[in-house]
Amino acid sequence: MQYVAEQALNALSIGAEYSLLALGLAIVFSVMGLVNFAHGEFLGVGGYIMYAMALFGAGDIWMILPVCLLTVVITAVLLERVAFRPVRRAPATTGLLTAFGVAIILQNVFLMGVSPRPKAVPAVAVLNTTVDIGSFTFTILQFLEAGVTAIAIVLLVVFMRRTKLGLAMRAAAHDFTTVRLMGVRANRVIATAFAISGFLAGLAAIFFIARRGAIDPFMGLLPVLKAFVACVLGGFGSLPGAVVGGLVLGILEVVLIILLPDFLAGLRDAAVFFIIGAILVGRPQGILGKKAELGDKTA
Amino acid sequence: MLTTKLLATTAVAAGALALVIANAPASAGDPLKIGISASISGEWAPYTGAHGLRCMTELMNEQGGVNGVPIELSVQDNKSDPAIAIAQAQEMLDDGVTAVGEAAIASDSLIPVSQLAAEYDTITFSAVNTQIEMFEVGLDNYITMAVPDPFNASATAEVAYELGARRVVLFLSDVYGTWTRNLPEWFGDVFGRFGGEVVGRMEYPGFGITDWSPFITDLKAMDPMPDSIHISSINPDVGVLIRQIRAAGLDIFVFGSDGFDDPTLPEVAGGAPSVDGTVYFATHGFATGGNALEMFQNECVSRGYEINGSFFGLGGDVAQILAKGVELAGSTDSRAVLDALTTAGPIEATSAPSIDFTNRWHYPSKEVSVIGFKDGQPMLHKALVPAHSPHYEE
């Protein structure tokens, strides 16, 4: 029983992390059709700012957390203004290349500005403290990750449904041109999408660093790939799809760790992608993606 | 005091090198040209030997170089990318180097580089590669300074048993070939010969794992509980694993390979309580008690170099060993240097008292350092020549 409960929470917290990242990726894609592969480097920005603060003696966790979130949000908005806005009307592939370029530049900034080697960031390690509930042992981080992700999703839903800007973003996801014809300022909508994306990445960075305890210049690469897979699985552009995709991916990974026998364990990643492939064969638009019919406006 | 110590250190380092240089032909000859495509950045950056090679070359050149001619060293960053490494190696070979090496550390780039170099009849070296593949693909132009994986595993297993470990779980992956899969299995093999037991195997998908909790939950559910694990992987992954194991309340031994040899490991792992007396790994040397490695490292630190574990010393070995080869061969001809090195017997080195390449595979036969931790700082637990050598036993 304890084993099942612990593995269930493991799956939930890993899935929640993927969901947070996927949601950040999806919100930008839904508004401007950009797959922002630099999203992983937002994690790096969060990690390196935590490292810098601890290095300069500002190691108090209550100071580190808001500064981390704020820095990642500012970075995301700044990058939208400097790197992505100039190529907004360019073909999608240009945006994709820009995202890769921004990612590489940020990696090199970390690499040359700090070190090519991993650096320890114990500042938020306190989140890894274990708690005993009955005969079960969990870490605070696992509850926080699942809980904060759930709260962030609820707040995002409220924002999208109850505010004018949220409404504009939802409408922009369907038809940006019409939204602009209604007098909505495109720059504001897109900058808000990047700010939200940065906020979600900042949250993910806190959990990521709390668990990992270290930064390195390429730490964002694997998470953004997982987030991308989660987005595709859930239905690219669909925000609920990103959440569901992240959770399914996390649960799949943990279930296969548990179920695959030793002699097949080396095929775990292949099995994960086989299952994802099977889901996409049945639902090519992703789990919650909307099927586009011939003649539908898709972007 | 500092100046006296510095002078003494420099004098000893210079003295060690003087032996090499004094016996070299007095007349100025061709320069020893060394090309290294190194992982200065990227995932393998913590393990490069390039910085040590640079420092040793600097020291040797201050003493007159080799054959009275300064060593010409070319270092290029391949960003840990095998494709870049191969392209850079090709350039260096075209420049007529005596030895080209390191590549992106792994055999997937070293093998093609060696094959390229074979066409030029040029030595391929690695400061840090430990994989058996390199000795098994029929290359006769390759040398490495690092302890081969079977010996690393064997030394750790010997120490693990001495420390009281009896039931081990092996963490395995295909991500880095024999280093991540066979090395733990060799550990298990030797551990079994001493009387220990491999009670489980866990497959992990590769590098970049930030959450080991599903594996740790599996460990906790085992009955009987293992008292130790062995993993051959890189930092920060192994540091994160140790931290999460401790966070889960497991006070078991964690044994590892040279991937643990990163100065940031104890901090990433959670400091002294996470590593003291429970984390041990085998690596290529340890700077202590005024040994050659310590003197070399101290001298390099005073020159502004940052020490990246024992890999720094292995880089120093490259310059030292190649220079010795030139001295023995009386020439910078690559083939002559290689023949001299592989027939010379034990050669004085920096990372260990000596390195011997005379076995039939020409792997480096040397002392293995097993490192533990005290107060969160690495300390030499034992330096040994392992009793068993799995894989290489006839």
Side-chain angles (χ1 to χ4, degrees):
Chain A
M1 182 59 192
Q2 179 167 352
Y3 177 78
V4 174
E6 283 190 21
Q7 290 292 27
L9 194 58
N10 291 337
L12 196 62
S13 63
I14 290 173
E17 189 176 303
Y18 292 161
S19 294
L20 264 184
L21 284 164
L23 205 51
L25 208 58
I27 202 158
V28 169
F29 181 82
S30 68
V31 172
M32 63 181 289
L34 168 76
V35 184
N36 181 16
F37 276 105
H39 191 71
E41 270 52 55
F42 293 170
L43 287 185
V45 170
Y48 276 87
I49 197 71
M50 287 188 219
Y51 171 73
M53 287 182 73
L55 199 66
F56 293 111
D60 179 43
I61 190 167
W62 298 113
M63 199 192 295
I64 282 181
L65 298 185
V67 172
C68 168
L69 284 172
L70 194 65
T71 309
V72 181
V73 169
I74 291 171
T75 306
V77 174
L78 202 67
L79 286 174
E80 187 278 322
R81 180 70 189 85
V82 175
F84 296 111
R85 193 176 294 182
V87 298
R88 193 188 294 164
R89 289 181 186 81
T93 45
T94 307
L96 200 61
L97 279 180
T98 307
F100 279 122
V102 168
I104 291 168
I105 289 168
L106 285 173
Q107 286 166 2
N108 279 278
V109 168
F110 303 146
L111 195 144
M112 290 188 286
V114 184
S115 170
R117 297 166 60 185
K119 293 285 178 191
V121 185
V124 284
V126 67
L127 300 179
N128 252 324
T129 310
T130 52
V131 285
D132 293 324
I133 301 174
S135 59
F136 303 130
T137 304
F138 303 107
T139 65
I140 295 173
L141 184 64
Q142 290 177 308
F143 287 109
L144 272 178
E145 210 157 27
V148 170
T149 302
I151 292 168
I153 291 166
V154 169
L155 289 178
L156 190 60
V157 168
V158 170
F159 172 79
M160 298 293 262
R161 292 189 186 279
R162 299 290 165 91
T163 67
K164 206 179 267 184
L165 198 54
L167 181 67
M169 287 173 67
R170 285 164 58 208
H174 289 285
D175 192 336
F176 211 134
T177 310
T178 308
V179 169
R180 295 189 75 181
L181 289 172
M182 299 289 147
V184 174
R185 290 168 58 190
N187 288 348
R188 196 167 164 221
V189 171
I190 291 175
T192 306
F194 268 88
I196 294 171
S197 157
F199 181 78
L200 295 171
L203 282 178
I206 291 167
F207 297 135
F208 191 79
I209 300 299
R211 177 175 287 125
R212 194 170 190 247
I215 50 169
D216 70 79
F218 305 99
M219 59 185 267
L221 187 62
L222 197 60
V224 82
L225 291 178
K226 298 265 185 182
F228 179 70
V229 173
C231 282
V232 173
L233 181 62
F236 228 124
S238 160
L239 302 188
V243 174
V244 170
L247 285 173
V248 170
L249 185 62
I251 291 166
L252 260 182
E253 286 185 356
V254 174
V255 165
L256 287 171
I257 286 172
I258 299 166
L259 295 184
L260 276 185
D262 276 350
F263 70 97
L264 288 177
L267 297 173
R268 189 182 305 124
D269 277 358
V272 169
F273 281 94
F274 178 80
I275 294 168
I276 290 172
I279 293 171
L280 291 176
V281 167
R283 286 191 64 82
Q285 70 277 29
I287 296 170
L288 297 182
K290 194 179 162 198
K291 197 169 184 177
E293 299 295 346
L294 195 62
D296 281 358
K297 193 170 177 57
T298 55
Chain B
M1 178 65 190
L2 187 67
T3 314
T4 313
K5 203 171 173 183
L6 187 67
L7 282 172
T9 307
T10 314
V12 176
L17 301 174
L19 190 67
V20 172
I21 295 149
N23 293 330
S27 61
D30 293 331
L32 168 59
K33 293 173 76 173
I34 305 172
I36 177 166
S37 165
S39 297
I40 306 292
S41 61
E43 64 185 351
W44 294 109
Y47 309 109
T48 181
H51 308 301
L53 172 56
R54 234 184 212 147
C55 183
M56 182 61 92
T57 305
E58 199 177 303
L59 287 170
M60 294 177 82
N61 282 345
E62 283 173 15
Q63 300 298 316
V66 181
N67 286 352
V69 181
I71 298 169
E72 291 181 13
L73 175 66
S74 165
V75 181
Q76 292 189 37
D77 181 13
N78 59 41
K79 300 178 171 58
S80 302
D81 182 336
I84 297 175
I86 294 162
Q88 289 175 343
Q90 176 73 68
E91 271 179 46
M92 290 167 180
L93 287 164
D94 288 338
D95 284 346
V97 293
T98 306
V100 65
E102 200 189 51
I105 294 181
S107 52
D108 58 354
S109 60
L110 269 169
I111 289 172
V113 167
S114 293
Q115 287 167 336
L116 271 176
E119 290 172 23
Y120 294 74
D121 208 15
T122 297
I123 296 174
T124 306
F125 69 84
S126 171
V128 303
N129 185 280
T130 59
Q131 293 174 287
I132 56 162
E133 291 94 315
M134 296 306 300
F135 304 105
E136 302 198 338
V137 289
L139 298 164
D140 69 345
N141 62 334
Y142 172 75
I143 53 168
T144 179
M145 308 298 140
V147 174
D149 292 338
F151 296 95
N152 181 302
S154 181
T156 321
E158 202 169 320
V159 166
Y161 194 80
E162 282 171 8
L163 287 166
R166 293 295 180 268
R167 296 183 308 280
V168 70
V169 169
L170 307 178
F171 277 59
L172 309 165
S173 174
D174 286 321
V175 62
Y176 195 60
T178 50
W179 188 69
T180 47
R181 175 162 298 280
N182 296 43
L183 196 156
E185 291 286 6
W186 287 318
F187 172 93
D189 172 10
V190 176
F191 191 60
R193 295 189 209 182
F194 283 109
E197 186 188 356
V198 176
V199 294
R201 288 175 173 77
M202 289 196 182
E203 293 276 349
Y204 62 97
F207 297 147
I209 298 178
T210 55
D211 193 347
W212 293 90
S213 49
F215 300 97
I216 294 168
T217 302
D218 265 357
L219 268 183
K220 283 167 66 180
M222 291 179 77
D223 186 22
M225 267 280 290
D227 55 25
S228 52
I229 65 164
H230 182 283
I231 181 168
S232 179
S233 186
I234 57 173
N235 198 37
D237 296 28
V238 286
V240 174
L241 172 63
I242 295 166
R243 201 152 64 87
Q244 292 178 356
I245 281 177
R246 301 298 178 235
L250 296 180
D251 193 26
I252 58 177
F253 286 111
V254 179
F255 298 111
S257 67
D258 47 339
F260 283 46
D261 195 356
D262 180 342
T264 64
L265 175 82
E267 204 179 353
V268 175
S274 293
V275 295
D276 281 4
T278 50
V279 176
Y280 294 86
F281 63 94
T283 190
H284 313 282
F286 190 75
T288 185
N291 65 7
L293 182 57
E294 187 175 60
M295 286 190 288
F296 172 60
Q297 288 188 179
N298 287 347
E299 176 57 25
C300 295
V301 167
S302 73
R303 290 165 181 254
Y305 286 89
E306 194 183 346
I307 308 300
N308 56 324
S310 65
F311 307 103
F312 193 88
L314 294 177
D317 283 341
V318 170
Q320 198 177 349
I321 295 286
L322 287 174
K324 183 69 179 177
V326 171
E327 174 210 329
L328 291 168
S331 140
T332 55
D333 174 71
S334 201
R335 177 54 55 188
V337 171
L338 189 64
D339 288 345
L341 289 174
T342 52
T343 53
I347 302 170
E348 193 178 330
T350 303
S351 65
S354 65
I355 300 179
D356 187 342
F357 299 99
T358 53
N359 58 79
R360 73 178 240 228
W361 293 275
H362 303 321
Y363 63 71
S365 183
K366 61 190 284 195
E367 201 175 76
V368 184
S369 300
V370 178
I371 311 299
F373 292 91
K374 191 179 179 192
D375 301 325
Q377 296 300 315
M379 53 151 208
L380 180 65
H381 177 75
K382 193 175 185 179
L384 69 158
V385 175
H388 301 280
S389 53
H391 184 77
Y392 287 114
E393 287 162 348
E394 297 293 342

